[in-house]
């Protein structure tokens, strides 16, 4: 019985661990196609950072939406703009604590003038920013988002 | 006819509102301000009438991007203030949201880092929206032309927040040098990642 519990703990731990290891450090070219998918999935893409207060405040809304739409064709993608040196000490612990299940990237591409407008022409570059899209249907929000807004953006595209 | 005029009026009013929300763009006349400096004195844009221009930078203490560019802001002032383009730093954040951006914290940081420029507080939070600043840091390069200030460049300081040695485009310095040489600014606006401006909650 004891060993079974131990085994479960080990499995749980390795699941959490493997998730954390999936945070890829990328430049914009690596993830550009994420913004132009033509399948019927709704994609929710959130730009955030652990040091950004409104990003931290809104993160529970995203994880709540993950739960709510877990049986729908909705994918969550989190793009961290934390400095790469904080990946292990700040980003991974934050992701674990908030139980973020979507795909995770750390965008290390300082020449932001080259890619901000490719995300959305309306984006000034302020964090946080959120894109919700399905094919040509797209909503963009710069600054903190409410759960109501996020839910509405997703629902209208399903 | 009446209807059409009414419609036109509504349309024009709407256009004005949209324009106001967008803030200032290159070519626009700058908005005057009169804000409290860290030394307890008020500083107005009008105080710079004898300069060639002013490098207005919305920036703050707490934001990692502002910190990453901080030394370069100091360097810009040292290089261009003698040429008639001093830096005016403005903190647009509300300290009830970010304690690290309070007036006393501004004084401390300016002292610690030996800021050579004025560091003003947009205490009523009405200057940053008039300019259209959305983040820190956010640059508005102004040029004096016939007793008026005009916006000549909006955006980022350069194209690498992380590593000054890897900068390949010095947007702001290039724009100032163009003005000094009497040439048009080639790149009038750029974008960079920054911290959203923290507005007091109702």
């Amino acid at each position: 019985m004891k060993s079974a519990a131990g085994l479960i703990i080990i499995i749980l731990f390795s699941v959490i661990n493997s998730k954390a290891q999936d945070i890829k450090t990328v430049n914009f070219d690596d993830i550009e196609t994420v913004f132009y998918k033509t399948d019927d999935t709704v994609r929710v893409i959130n730009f955030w950072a652990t040091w950004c207060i409104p990003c931290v405040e809104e993160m529970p809304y995203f994880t709540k939406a993950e739960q709510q739409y877990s049986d729908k064709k909705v994918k969550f993608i989190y793009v961290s703009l934390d400095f790469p040196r904080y990946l292990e000490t700040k980003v991974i612990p934050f992701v674990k604590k908030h139980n973020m299940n979507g795909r995770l990237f750390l965008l290390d591409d300082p020449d932001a003038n080259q890619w901000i407008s490719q995300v959305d022409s309306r984006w000034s570059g302020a964090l946080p920013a959120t894109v919700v899209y399905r094919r040509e249907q797209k909503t963009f929000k710069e600054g903190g988002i409410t759960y109501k807004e996020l839910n509405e953006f997703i629902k209208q595209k399903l | 006819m009446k209807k059409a005029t009414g419609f036109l009026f509504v349309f024009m009013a709407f256009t004005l509102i949209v324009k106001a929300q967008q803030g200032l763009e290159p070519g626009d006349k700058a908005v005057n301000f009169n804000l409290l400096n860290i030394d307890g004195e008020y500083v107005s844009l009008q105080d710079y009438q004898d300069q060639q221009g002013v490098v207005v930078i919305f920036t703050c203490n707490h934001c990692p991007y502002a910190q990453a560019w901080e030394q370069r802001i100091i360097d810009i002032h040292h290089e261009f203030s003698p040429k008639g383009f001093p830096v005016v730093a403005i903190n647009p954040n509300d300290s009830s949201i970010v304690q690290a951006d309070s007036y006393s914290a501004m004084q401390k940081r300016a002292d610690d880092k030996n800021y050579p420029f004025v560091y003003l507080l947009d205490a009523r939070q009405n200057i940053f929206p008039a300019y259209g600043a959305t983040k820190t840091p956010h640059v508005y390069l102004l040029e004096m032309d016939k007793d008026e200030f005009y916006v000549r460049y909006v955006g980022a300081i350069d194209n690498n927040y992380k590593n000054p040695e890897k900068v390949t485009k010095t947007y702001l310095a290039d724009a100032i040098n163009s003005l000094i040489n009497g040439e048009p600014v080639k790149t009038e606006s750029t974008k960079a990642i920054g911290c959203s401006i923290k507005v007091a909650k109702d």
Side-chain angles (χ1 to χ4, degrees):
Chain A
M1 184 61 200
K2 247 188 191 172
S3 66
L7 192 68
I8 288 167
I9 287 167
I10 289 166
I11 290 168
L12 274 176
F13 192 74
S14 62
V15 165
I16 291 167
N17 245 358
S18 71
K19 227 190 276 169
Q21 282 161 0
D22 284 344
I23 305 179
K24 276 196 198 135
T25 301
V26 293
N27 60 34
F28 190 76
D29 287 348
D30 298 331
I31 59 166
E32 194 188 345
T33 55
V34 169
F35 296 89
Y36 305 110
K37 299 283 185 190
T38 53
D39 56 28
D40 58 359
T41 299
V42 176
R43 283 181 175 75
V44 179
I45 306 164
N46 177 239
F47 290 84
W48 68 289
T50 57
W51 46 258
C52 158
I53 301 163
C55 304
V56 172
E57 284 175 348
E58 70 180 10
M59 197 51 81
Y61 307 145
F62 287 89
T63 49
K64 185 177 167 188
E66 277 184 9
Q67 300 292 325
Q68 177 156 344
Y69 292 100
S70 57
D71 60 342
K72 297 281 195 311
K73 282 191 171 177
V74 182
K75 279 187 183 165
F76 290 80
I77 298 135
Y78 301 101
V79 182
S80 160
L81 286 148
D82 281 88
F83 300 161
R85 64 176 181 274
Y86 295 130
L87 177 63
E88 299 290 333
T89 53
K90 290 187 177 167
V91 182
I92 290 173
F94 184 94
V95 165
K96 280 184 187 170
K97 187 181 160 201
H98 286 262
N99 203 18
M100 294 154 67
N101 288 306
R103 282 181 77 187
L104 294 150
F105 298 106
L106 190 145
L107 181 56
D108 180 23
D109 197 339
D111 195 358
N113 189 49
Q114 299 302 317
W115 52 262
I116 287 173
S117 294
Q118 289 185 59
V119 172
D120 195 284
S121 59
R122 291 161 286 187
W123 189 17
S124 81
L127 290 179
T130 302
V131 173
V132 182
Y133 85 99
R134 179 173 168 271
R135 296 197 184 116
E136 265 80 60
Q137 276 183 287
K138 182 182 182 189
T139 318
F140 173 77
K141 168 93 188 197
E142 173 171 315
I145 200 167
T146 63
Y147 182 73
K148 200 177 157 210
E149 283 175 307
L150 179 61
N151 191 31
E152 198 56 41
F153 291 170
I154 298 169
K155 214 162 57 183
Q156 65 193 200
K157 289 172 193 69
L158 277 170
Chain B
M1 184 60 197
K2 247 189 192 170
K3 247 188 195 170
T5 317
F7 179 76
L8 190 68
F9 180 75
V10 169
F11 178 75
M12 278 169 66
F14 183 72
T15 314
L16 281 174
I17 291 164
V18 169
K19 178 80 184 150
Q21 281 175 344
Q22 282 173 341
L24 303 182
E25 288 170 13
D28 288 347
K29 202 182 282 188
V31 173
N32 191 33
F33 51 77
N34 191 35
L35 301 171
L36 189 61
N37 187 22
I38 43 171
D39 66 359
E41 301 283 332
Y42 277 85
V43 172
S44 163
L45 183 58
Q46 294 309 313
D47 299 340
Y48 292 86
Q49 293 271 4
D50 58 342
Q51 301 288 328
Q52 304 299 307
V54 175
V55 185
V56 174
I57 306 182
F58 293 92
T59 189
C60 66
N61 287 3
H62 91 278
C63 172
Y65 283 86
Q67 291 167 8
W69 265 303
E70 183 179 44
Q71 186 55 48
R72 279 170 271 178
I73 295 173
I74 293 170
D75 295 343
I76 289 267
H77 180 83
H78 281 310
E79 182 177 354
F80 291 106
S81 180
K83 297 177 180 174
F85 287 88
V87 167
V88 171
I90 302 176
N91 169 19
N93 288 332
D94 188 280
S95 63
S96 69
I97 311 292
V98 194
Q99 186 62 43
D101 287 336
S102 71
Y103 184 65
S104 58
M106 286 168 66
Q107 291 173 318
K108 187 173 185 310
R109 186 154 194 110
D111 197 41
D112 289 348
K113 304 281 174 176
N114 228 339
Y115 281 4
F117 42 76
V118 298
Y119 190 20
L120 315 179
L121 179 62
D122 186 6
R124 289 169 57 200
Q125 298 202 297
N126 60 348
I127 298 304
F128 83 78
Y131 274 76
T134 57
K135 61 190 188 290
T136 54
H138 203 153
V139 175
Y140 289 78
L141 171 62
L142 313 181
E143 182 187 29
M144 166 64 82
D145 186 10
K146 298 186 188 76
D147 298 334
E148 300 273 10
F149 284 101
Y150 291 89
V151 178
R152 297 298 183 217
Y153 170 76
V154 179
I157 293 158
D158 57 46
N159 73 339
N160 195 318
Y161 76 87
K162 221 169 74 169
N163 188 345
E165 281 158 25
K166 287 192 178 159
V167 169
T168 55
K169 286 173 186 152
T170 49
Y171 303 123
L172 175 57
D174 290 355
I176 303 172
N177 277 321
S178 295
L179 297 180
I180 290 171
N181 296 329
E183 292 161 2
V185 173
K186 282 189 200 94
T187 304
E188 294 184 307
S189 66
T190 58
K191 288 180 175 181
I193 293 294
C195 303
S196 57
I197 290 172
K198 308 299 185 289
V199 183
K201 285 172 185 161
D202 303 325

